[in-house]
Amino acid sequence: MKEPAKENSKKSAPSIDEALESWLQRCIDARNGHYTRAEKLFDLSQILGYVLIYSTVFVTAFSFFTHNPSTILFWCITKQHVVIFVGCIAAVISGIVSQARFGERAEMHRSSGARYSNLARDIEELRLKQGVGLLQDSELSTHINSIIKEWNNLSEDSLLTPHNPIRKSRNSHVYITLLFIIMFFSVAA
């Protein structure tokens, strides 16, 4: 009966080496999550930026041309419909880019990832110094408190990263986008 109590006390108070290893792994996971998110947001920012620029240039260039409404490209779609549709896409993408600020968020995630990398290096340095025996108990306590303080500050400033890989996707923004494209197109056509 006393053995489970001993096991529980061992689980509740891990050794310094175990705690540092756990902290290091959590820092590495957080760093990787922030860097992965930063890459995805940067790629999305670049793609939407190019689409916005090209669609705006397309609409601007072709708005000066006279379109013959009797010329049908496909089914009942004329050249004027294509210009209007691309203009609607440009307007919606402009709103998405302005609201979502993908580039800014990518930079914030990159910065958080770098800060987690620095924290991981501090933990590695502490583990190395402790393993070689370069630290006294009072110095070890000071270093651990410094790491905890930095981690707390970092946690307050960091953006959230996707936690669950099977998290349900929320597609409400896609529906809103499609709704506005349909509204713009129906009014303009």
Side-chain angles (χ1 to χ4, degrees), residues 32-104:
N32 292 344
H34 280 290
Y35 281 150
T36 301
R37 191 68 178 158
E39 290 171 7
K40 288 179 182 178
L41 288 170
F42 179 77
D43 290 342
L44 187 57
S45 173
Q46 292 293 316
I47 289 169
L48 287 177
Y50 286 125
V51 171
L52 178 60
I53 290 168
Y54 293 141
S55 61
T56 304
V57 169
F58 177 86
V59 169
T60 304
F62 285 103
S63 64
F64 295 112
F65 288 93
T66 308
H67 301 283
N68 184 357
S70 63
T71 306
I72 295 177
L73 296 176
F74 177 74
W75 193 38
C76 63
I77 299 173
T78 65
K79 291 178 185 177
Q80 185 66 28
H81 288 119
V82 173
V83 172
I84 292 169
F85 182 71
V86 173
C88 294
I89 289 174
V92 170
I93 289 177
S94 175
I96 291 170
V97 168
S98 297
Q99 180 64 26
R101 302 180 334 260
F102 295 117
E104 180 182 329

Side-chain angles (χ1 to χ4, degrees), residues 23 115 119 122-123 141-157:
W23 290 359
R115 289 178 65 194
L119 188 58
D122 289 346
I123 294 170
S141 176
T142 302
H143 284 291
I144 287 175
N145 288 336
S146 171
I147 288 172
I148 290 171
K149 183 178 179 181
E150 174 60 25
W151 200 322
N152 288 338
N153 290 337
L154 181 56
S155 296
E156 289 177 7
D157 297 340

